[in-house]
């Protein structure tokens, strides 16, 4: 079963070290994303553009939906190494403080520069999500680290 990269899993396949595995992953992401858009087309009523609003499936599984949207947009996920330490710089998607809300952070290995890149990287994440009907607000949390709070825009009535 396909699982989008949330940033808390193993590193994605390296296209240089393992081009076949990287291509398989890219194909899986593309097929899953196209499926998500098809679900939107078939289930969303009202509004001008049925793919511009998250479907009920996405609202029920917002962490998976946001992770898929970011991965399909080409934003790199963070990752954990075998020792459990951050092994790659990128997004991390997890549950937000309220039901239906998602938190997106920009994380990386210690000393890897993720903190310096987070505002630009999270702005890129926000743009990718907003195009798909997610409201993404940038906040500053503990230790002055930025993060996004993400929620689906209301469905048309």
């Amino acid at each position: 079963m396909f699982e989008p990269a949330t940033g808390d899993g193993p590193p994605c396949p390296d296209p240089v070290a393992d081009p076949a595995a990287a291509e398989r992953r890219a194909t899986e992401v593309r097929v899953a994303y196209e499926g998500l858009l098809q679900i939107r087309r078939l289930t969303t009523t009202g509004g001008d553009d049925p793919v511009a609003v998250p479907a009920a499936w996405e609202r029920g599984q917002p962490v998976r939906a946001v992770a898929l949207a970011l991965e399909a947009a080409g934003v790199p996920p963070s990752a954990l190494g075998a020792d459990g330490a951050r092994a790659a710089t990128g997004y991390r998607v997890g549950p937000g403080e309220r039901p239906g809300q998602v938190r997106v952070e920009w994380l990386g290995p210690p000393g890897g520069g993720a903190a310096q890149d987070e505002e630009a990287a999270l702005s890129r994440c926000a743009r990718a999500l907003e195009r798909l009907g997610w409201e993404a607000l940038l906040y500053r949390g503990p230790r002055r680290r930025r993060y996004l709070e993400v929620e689906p825009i209301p469905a048309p009535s």
Side-chain angles (χ1 to χ4, degrees):
M1 179 173 165
F2 173 80
E3 284 295 327
T6 62
D8 281 336
C12 288
D14 182 345
V16 174
D18 193 347
E23 182 56 35
R24 275 193 304 278
R25 180 66 186 182
T27 299
E28 290 173 343
V29 170
R30 187 172 47 256
V31 168
Y33 181 70
E34 289 169 2
L36 178 139
L37 295 179
Q38 187 63 14
I39 289 170
R40 286 182 175 199
R41 284 184 199 99
L42 295 172
T43 62
T44 303
T45 58
D48 294 332
D49 183 4
V51 299
V53 179
W57 172 88
E58 295 169 89
R59 293 170 191 277
Q61 299 182 55
V63 170
R64 291 184 74 211
V66 167
L68 176 57
L70 291 174
E71 193 172 1
V75 180
S78 184
L80 299 175
D83 61 357
R86 287 275 152 213
T89 298
Y91 67 80
R92 180 196 172 269
V93 179
E97 293 179 15
R98 296 188 315 271
Q101 186 181 67
V102 175
R103 181 180 175 119
V104 178
E105 303 169 283
W106 192 257
L107 302 175
Q116 290 78 19
D117 299 334
E118 71 186 3
E119 185 172 11
L122 289 171
S123 293
R124 177 181 175 202
C125 292
R127 286 190 304 275
L129 294 168
E130 287 166 353
R131 283 192 297 269
L132 292 170
W134 296 91
E135 182 178 35
L137 301 175
L138 184 63
Y139 290 96
R140 193 181 296 263
R143 298 188 327 259
R144 306 203 34 89
R145 295 295 305 263
R146 292 175 179 87
Y147 64 94
L148 295 175
E149 280 188 3
V150 180
E151 295 179 305
I153 63 168
S157 43

